[in-house]
Amino acid sequence: MHKRNAWLAVGLAVVLVMAFALTGCGGGTSSNNNATTSTSLKDTITFAQGADPRGLDPAYVDDGESSKVIVNVYESLLKYAPDSTQVEPSLATSWDISPDGLTYTFHLRKGVKFQDGTDFNAAAVKFNVERQIPPKVDPNMPYAGFVWGTVKSVDTPDDSTVVMHLSQKNSAFLANCAMSLGAPMVSPTALQKDNNNVNEDPVGTGPYKFVSWKKGDSVTLVRNDDYWGPKAKTKNLIFKVIADNSARVLALTNGDVDMIDGIDATAVQPVKSAGDVLQTTEGMNINYMAMNVQSPIFKNAAARKGIAQAINRDELVKNLYQGYATPASTILPKFVPGFSADVQQTSYDEAAAKAAIAAAGIKTVHMITYSNPRPYNPATGSTLATAIQGYLQKVGVTCKIDTYDWTTYKTKVTAGDYDICFYGWTGDNGDPDNFLNLLATNDWSQNVSRWQDPTYIKGIADALAMPNGEGRNAAYAALEKQAAAANVWYPINHTQLLWASGPGVKGVLYHMTGNTFFADATVAAK
């Protein structure tokens, strides 16, 4: 996920009072947890974000803008605790794991229905899992491998029991079953009706149900009055798309929207001066530049290292993010298991960069980037690309930059027509595999460097099968050292997360995974 110059970190935060240790540590909290005592409450809460969702079928999207809507419409078998990525019951009330770690038995919540009246049961779970594993999996399902890639078969001994058989041990499997993408349960009836893709007509079991989507403008949800749990406190929920950061801030301070994210550093003072509430916390994310190893320029590892040496990471991060981000020495945020301070990326050395680039004969590079802010890059991709362009010009490299809106950019990245692209990642589940597996997959919408190293890929598979603990953490640290030596990614920063709301907003859960949960949210009428 991604953003602009001298700007503040956006979106996925945990709110309210929690110190954050994310991903196994961290804060996820709400905007003032105190219950609203006034009986004068608005019947609609409007949240403004920086880009349109790419889709609303959790199996077919991989972006935060889609995910923020999805978590209010759908539910997964498990969920994360409000202030961490510890798994808790959701559509499954309990689970058992076989001694060999290869069989997971889920006991399902009874009496739950999808929003179209379809029963939620074992058959529905089997349908959802099997559409994302061979032979049915669609190559356009970016999270299928992350969540269900080790599932080889699914049994349903009765309506409330699902048994999943794995092809190998997977220490991240339970955490994956709580993710907001790939894992949520979709109505089988709706899927059969819409040719196995409900991107524009989502049907889940969650506290809100879909009403409409005006592309480029807004997504409207309404309370699911048949929800199995406590009903949502506010009737209507609108996700408003306002791409420009300053326009989004103005919409909040004018009272046109109730809450925003994707805020940069320039927004801090206007938000505070207007009497609105601003929250920030450490982000479970990585903002990076990727070099395409399938490009003739960057097949050479020495050339990739030369480009990395040309960039002054500390200076770049200071100038772009003004204290709301930390330079990244590793791919993993420091609170994620597997983080090691011994991992070091290529350091800034302008003289060495000039020599390496001259030896490689690099004169020009083709960059592609995105125009909007991202949770890991509130400065926007275009601002970041321009800053990198400046560093490369100093070592004799001319950069051609093509900039696209986010939806188009995702298509361009998958096509692979670039030497350098800009990307990022927000952790889904607090497990190191969720970050480092990105360099092992052959899904080019995820592995944007297109690096395929057999030793690394085997190491990822081996680490995934290891039990949680020091041995597994050391394995991931070793893998990150290998990736750093290959210079296929240039990690830039870990971004703090920032969002703001009007003073009358209560009960929003802005989780460390970057998702926004509105079931308990209320807005005091002015």
Side-chain angles (χ1 to χ4, degrees):
M1 320 165 156
H2 314 52
K3 297 187 186 192
R4 167 177 198 192
N5 192 56
W7 303 65
L8 206 12
V10 162
L12 317 126
V14 159
V15 272
L16 220 40
V17 151
M18 299 192 164
F20 219 80
L22 217 29
T23 264
C25 301
T29 135
S30 73
S31 103
N32 288 322
N33 283 333
N34 300 330
T36 302
T37 56
S38 170
T39 57
S40 180
L41 298 175
K42 294 172 61 176
D43 66 359
T44 301
I45 184 168
T46 302
F47 168 70
Q49 58 186 31
D52 218 16
R54 296 187 65 237
L56 298 176
D57 185 324
Y60 282 96
V61 294
D62 61 357
D63 64 301
E65 286 77 14
S66 300
S67 183
K68 290 169 190 173
V69 181
I70 281 170
V71 296
N72 291 280
V73 175
Y74 298 96
E75 295 170 302
S76 303
L77 293 177
L78 307 178
K79 65 179 181 180
Y80 301 124
D83 59 350
S84 74
T85 51
Q86 181 68 38
V87 295
E88 296 181 344
S90 183
L91 291 177
T93 57
S94 63
W95 54 90
D96 305 305
I97 306 172
S98 63
D100 64 4
L102 295 176
T103 302
Y104 285 70
T105 301
F106 294 93
H107 306 283
L108 305 182
R109 191 175 299 278
K110 298 178 181 178
V112 176
K113 288 186 178 292
F114 289 97
Q115 293 148 1
D116 61 1
T118 301
D119 289 333
F120 169 76
N121 53 26
V125 175
K126 180 180 174 71
F127 189 100
N128 274 269
V129 175
E130 288 185 342
R131 78 171 179 133
Q132 295 185 72
I133 63 175
K136 295 181 180 180
V137 62
D138 186 318
N140 295 311
M141 294 176 168
Y143 267 69
F146 272 124
V147 181
W148 310 114
T150 55
V151 176
K152 66 178 182 179
S153 64
V154 182
D155 294 330
T156 55
D158 57 57
D159 279 352
S160 60
T161 307
V162 175
V163 181
M164 300 189 195
H165 304 282
L166 307 190
S167 58
Q168 68 166 72
K169 293 180 180 179
N170 183 347
S171 296
F173 187 62
L174 288 179
N176 292 346
C177 288
M179 281 164 42
S180 62
L181 299 174
M185 296 290 112
V186 184
S187 165
T189 301
L191 287 168
Q192 290 166 337
K193 174 184 174 184
D194 291 329
N195 196 28
N196 201 38
N197 185 331
V198 293
N199 259 334
E200 300 198 15
D201 191 16
V203 182
T205 63
Y208 282 95
K209 57 185 181 180
F210 178 73
V211 176
S212 64
W213 182 5
K214 297 178 182 178
K215 298 291 181 68
D217 180 76
S218 61
V219 176
T220 300
L221 309 180
V222 68
R223 179 170 53 218
N224 177 12
D225 287 328
D226 296 318
Y227 182 58
W228 59 267
K231 307 302 184 283
K233 293 181 179 178
T234 301
K235 181 179 179 180
N236 304 302
L237 173 58
I238 298 174
F239 290 82
K240 182 74 175 173
V241 178
I242 304 177
D244 182 73
N245 285 14
S246 57
R248 204 158 52 254
V249 172
L250 185 61
L252 176 67
T253 57
N254 284 346
D256 298 328
V257 302
D258 301 300
M259 176 177 165
I260 62 174
D261 71 356
I263 305 172
D264 57 60
T266 61
V268 174
Q269 194 55 47
V271 166
K272 290 182 176 180
S273 296
D276 293 312
V277 180
L278 184 143
Q279 298 284 352
T280 186
T281 191
E282 191 171 11
M284 186 169 63
N285 56 47
I286 180 67
N287 180 32
Y288 63 90
M289 180 183 80
M291 288 172 270
N292 182 356
V293 302
Q294 294 182 0
S295 160
I297 294 175
F298 292 130
K299 288 182 179 179
N300 183 336
R304 300 194 298 266
K305 183 175 181 179
I307 293 293
Q309 288 174 316
I311 303 167
N312 187 333
R313 181 186 289 104
D314 289 352
E315 179 183 74
L316 175 69
V317 172
K318 180 181 179 180
N319 289 341
L320 284 189
Y321 307 111
Q322 298 183 10
Y324 291 99
T326 56
S329 61
T330 72
I331 296 172
L332 295 176
K334 65 183 179 182
F335 44 77
V336 173
F339 168 84
S340 172
D342 293 334
V343 177
Q344 294 296 322
Q345 306 298 328
T346 296
S347 58
Y348 173 59
D349 187 333
E350 187 173 320
K354 287 181 178 178
I357 287 168
I362 300 174
K363 300 294 185 182
T364 63
V365 296
H366 176 210
M367 292 180 175
I368 63 171
T369 193
Y370 48 90
S371 58
N372 55 291
R374 301 294 301 156
Y376 41 78
N377 176 24
T380 76
S382 53
T383 301
L384 177 57
T386 300
I388 297 294
Q389 179 186 44
Y391 285 112
L392 296 186
Q393 284 176 338
K394 291 180 180 180
V395 296
V397 178
T398 299
C399 302
K400 176 194 174 188
I401 303 175
D402 288 326
T403 304
Y404 304 96
D405 66 87
W406 181 242
T407 298
T408 304
Y409 182 68
K410 294 286 290 185
T411 302
K412 295 292 184 180
V413 164
T414 303
D417 181 20
Y418 57 86
D419 301 314
I420 288 174
C421 74
F422 296 90
Y423 231 49
W425 189 257
T426 296
D428 297 286
N429 62 12
D431 192 272
D433 181 74
N434 187 247
F435 283 85
L436 298 181
N437 206 333
L438 292 170
L439 287 170
T441 180
N442 60 2
D443 179 345
W444 304 138
S445 71
Q446 306 283 355
N447 185 359
V448 296
S449 65
R450 299 179 171 233
W451 186 53
Q452 291 282 271
D453 183 277
T455 303
Y456 184 90
I457 292 170
K458 182 180 185 301
I460 287 290
D462 291 344
L464 189 63
M466 298 173 69
N468 290 319
E470 292 184 6
R472 186 171 186 249
N473 292 345
Y476 281 111
L479 287 164
E480 192 167 5
K481 288 180 181 179
Q482 181 185 350
N487 282 289
V488 291
W489 273 14
Y490 180 80
I492 298 171
N493 63 277
H494 304 293
T495 303
Q496 293 180 37
L497 306 170
L498 188 70
W499 62 274
S501 67
V505 175
K506 311 291 182 184
V508 177
L509 173 61
Y510 203 104
H511 196 260
M512 61 183 60
T513 54
N515 286 311
T516 46
F517 297 85
F518 287 96
D520 289 332
T522 59
V523 185
K526 294 183 179 179

